[in-house]
């Protein structure tokens, strides 16, 4: 009787069963499908973007299907996410700079910002876990970013740029604390460890439960403390580097399991803190992530390890971007569910030509990705910036 009443109310409001979110619970909340499914009438979602499991939608497989994308009937070549990264160096330090930067991004069609809060032992947010472990509490920039983002209608994700990197150059307060607790990778543990560095960085050991507990508890603090925060993101610095003998001596499958299990632990802690928070991951392209970071993210979407993957397809030409992206799409199950391609605007070397950037974006539409994210915000905000074509949102 209650179900009949709810159906009557929905229909009287002009909604069909497949449009009423009450009928999307299994589809939207299934970890195996990510967080973005929507029950749609059969024929409204391409076969490559749907799951026909009858349990996922109220009407089962007879009249509707669970679609990984939010497409409506006839909606093709569209994206849900147009994002960018805001560093800790510009448009982040105070209200005026955040408001100026975010306003320009919104005017140019950006609908999501990944905002840096974790770098070189500094946290630009509040966390009791971080404060208790030697992290430099560098001011609560995240509160300002969340407030401005919500005012302007932007999604806001906390970007933990340094990931497992504890410090750069020399041991700082956090890295010193981490070393004393045995959380850092080192080159020769048998001799009392005097060298923690791979290149210029020291790394947390994702095989150490204490190091993982630190990361997951810090993330949980942030998720609880900022209810307006839409999600958080780790990137390619979430790594277990082969530079350390203790890592390279392991079987590759073991290394992959360590990074995967660490991400799952962080995900679970974040979801326990607030079930609505989204988990994003911005790794390197698959081959590089596997061989250099020991992260095999090919099935992270399919298995629900994270809700979104934003691989860094940072290429300066459209042809190289397409080649790299295509190689990954052939190996990533149900990529339409939550894959957002990261596109390079600038970096070391010359800027990517705007014509190539536009072609890269157009290809994201063609292969039906969840969206595109642009490295980085300064190139969109500044005077000599890229003006994106009007985004075609689903």
């Amino acid at each position: 009787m209650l179900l009949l009443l709810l159906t009557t109310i929905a229909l009287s409001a002009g909604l069909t069963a497949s449009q009423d979110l009450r009928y999307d619970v299994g589809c939207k909340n299934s970890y195996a499908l990510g967080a973005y499914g929507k029950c749609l009438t059969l024929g409204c979602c391409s076969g490559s973007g749907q799951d026909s499991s009858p349990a996922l939608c109220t009407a089962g497989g007879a009249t509707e299907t669970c679609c990984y994308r939010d497409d409506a009937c006839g909606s093709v070549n569209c994206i849900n996410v147009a994002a960018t990264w805001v560093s800790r160096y510009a448009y982040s330090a105070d209200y005026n700079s955040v408001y100026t930067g975010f306003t320009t991004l919104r005017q140019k069609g950006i609908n999501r910002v990944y905002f840096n809060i974790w770098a070189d032992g500094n946290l630009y947010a509040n966390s009791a876990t971080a404060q208790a472990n030697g992290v430099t509490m560098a001011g609560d920039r995240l509160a300002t970013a969340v407030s401005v983002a919500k005012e302007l209608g932007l999604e806001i994700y906390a970007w933990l740029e340094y990931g497992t990197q504890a410090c750069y150059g020399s041991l700082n307060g956090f890295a010193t604390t981490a070393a004393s607790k045995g959380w850092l990778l080192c080159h020769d543990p048998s001799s009392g460890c005097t060298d923690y560095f791979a290149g210029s960085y020291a790394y947390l050991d994702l095989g150490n439960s204490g190091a993982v507990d630190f990361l997951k508890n810090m993330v949980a603090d942030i998720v609880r403390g900022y209810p307006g925060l839409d999600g958080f993101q780790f990137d390619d610095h979430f790594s277990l580097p082969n530079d350390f003998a203790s890592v390279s001596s392991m079987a590759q499958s073991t290394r992959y399991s360590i990074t995967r299990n660490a991400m799952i632990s962080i995900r679970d802690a974040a979801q326990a803190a607030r079930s609505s928070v989204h988990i994003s991951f911005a790794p390197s392209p698959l081959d590089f992530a596997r061989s250099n970071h020991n992260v095999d993210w090919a099935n992270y979407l399919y298995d629900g390890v994270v809700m979104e993957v934003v691989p860094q397809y940072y290429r300066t030409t459209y042809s190289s971007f397409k080649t790299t992206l295509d190689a990954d799409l052939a190996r990533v199950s149900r990529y339409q569910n939550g894959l957002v391609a990261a596109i390079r605007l600038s970096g070391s070397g010359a800027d990517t030509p705007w014509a190539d950037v536009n072609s890269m974006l157009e290809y994201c539409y063609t292969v039906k990705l969840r969206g595109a994210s642009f490295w980085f915000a300064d190139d969109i905000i500044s005077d000599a910036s890229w003006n994106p074509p009007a985004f075609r949102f689903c």
Side-chain angles (χ1 to χ4, degrees):
M1 179 63 69
L2 178 58
L3 179 58
L4 178 60
L5 176 61
L6 292 175
T7 302
T8 302
I9 293 172
L11 294 176
S12 67
L15 299 175
T16 67
S18 62
Q19 291 172 318
D20 182 1
L21 294 185
R22 278 191 295 272
Y23 294 88
D24 294 290
V25 174
C27 178
K28 291 183 72 68
N29 295 338
S30 172
Y31 258 137
L33 297 174
Y36 299 113
K38 184 172 181 60
C39 292
L40 296 176
T41 303
L42 289 176
C44 292
C45 184
S46 65
S48 62
Q50 69 183 37
D51 190 291
S52 59
S53 172
L56 295 175
C57 296
T58 298
T63 60
E64 60 183 11
T65 188
C66 181
C67 187
Y68 309 150
R69 297 172 55 80
D70 291 336
D71 297 354
C73 278
S75 177
V76 295
N77 292 341
C78 61
I79 59 175
N80 300 89
V81 176
T84 190
W85 286 272
V86 169
S87 75
R88 59 184 173 134
Y89 299 112
Y91 309 109
S92 63
D94 55 65
Y95 179 86
N96 287 337
S97 63
V98 172
Y99 191 86
T100 297
F102 282 22
T103 297
T104 302
L105 293 174
R106 194 71 184 96
Q107 289 170 345
K108 294 191 176 185
I110 296 298
N111 64 6
R112 178 185 296 172
V113 172
Y114 302 114
F115 187 82
N116 192 10
I117 64 163
W118 170 241
D120 198 18
N122 296 282
L123 186 69
Y124 298 91
N126 289 328
S127 163
T129 299
Q131 190 166 21
N133 284 284
V135 172
T136 298
M137 308 305 290
D140 189 2
R141 297 184 182 183
L142 184 58
T144 300
V146 170
S147 174
V148 172
K150 296 301 102 177
E151 179 181 348
L152 296 176
L154 289 166
E155 290 186 340
I156 179 78
Y157 281 48
W159 166 36
L160 291 94
E161 181 197 9
Y162 262 50
T164 60
Q165 291 175 337
C167 63
Y168 174 84
S170 60
L171 295 183
N172 54 26
F174 168 65
T176 299
T177 299
S180 71
K181 296 185 176 185
W183 294 353
L184 297 185
L185 288 166
C186 64
H187 285 283
D188 186 8
S190 64
S191 65
C193 199
T194 57
D195 184 4
Y196 295 103
F197 287 85
S200 298
Y201 294 94
Y203 285 83
L204 293 169
D205 179 3
L206 288 177
N208 181 289
S209 60
V212 175
D213 285 347
F214 165 77
L215 289 173
K216 75 179 188 182
N217 291 334
M218 181 171 68
V219 167
D221 288 347
I222 293 164
V223 170
R224 277 191 298 266
Y226 300 85
L229 190 70
D230 295 290
F232 66 92
Q233 182 187 83
F234 285 97
D235 64 16
D236 58 322
H237 299 136
F238 189 88
S239 173
L240 190 68
N242 286 324
D243 304 74
F244 300 93
S246 58
V247 174
S248 60
S249 62
M250 299 176 188
Q252 190 175 63
S253 60
T254 301
R255 290 176 244 155
Y256 290 169
S257 294
I258 287 173
T259 52
R260 177 187 172 97
N261 290 339
M263 187 67 80
I264 289 172
S265 293
I266 294 168
R267 178 204 71 190
D268 289 348
Q271 290 279 317
R274 177 158 52 87
S275 61
S276 62
V277 72
H278 285 196
I279 297 91
S280 177
F281 183 38
S284 298
L286 187 56
D287 286 335
F288 194 92
R290 285 171 168 170
S291 61
N292 289 273
H293 302 145
N294 287 308
V295 175
D296 182 10
W297 56 263
N299 289 316
Y300 276 26
L301 290 173
Y302 184 88
D303 295 340
V305 175
V306 297
M307 296 175 174
E308 173 188 84
V309 179
V310 192
Q312 298 176 25
Y313 297 118
Y314 294 156
R315 302 295 185 267
T316 57
T317 66
Y318 167 67
S319 61
S320 59
F321 169 86
K322 181 180 183 300
T323 297
T324 309
L325 175 58
D326 284 347
D328 279 3
L329 297 187
R331 298 175 289 179
V332 177
S333 300
R334 294 172 174 163
Y335 66 81
Q336 298 97 335
N337 180 19
L339 196 143
V340 174
I343 295 174
R344 176 192 184 274
L345 303 180
S346 67
S348 58
D351 292 354
T352 308
W354 300 137
D356 287 84
V357 172
N358 292 339
S359 294
M360 294 173 190
L361 174 60
E362 193 62 35
Y363 194 60
C364 293
Y365 293 118
T366 299
V367 294
K368 300 182 183 300
L369 299 189
R370 181 76 186 169
S373 188
F374 304 97
W375 178 262
F376 66 123
D378 294 28
D379 296 298
I380 304 174
I381 298 169
S382 66
D383 291 337
S385 63
W386 173 57
N387 289 300
F391 296 109
R392 303 197 298 273
F393 288 113
C394 297

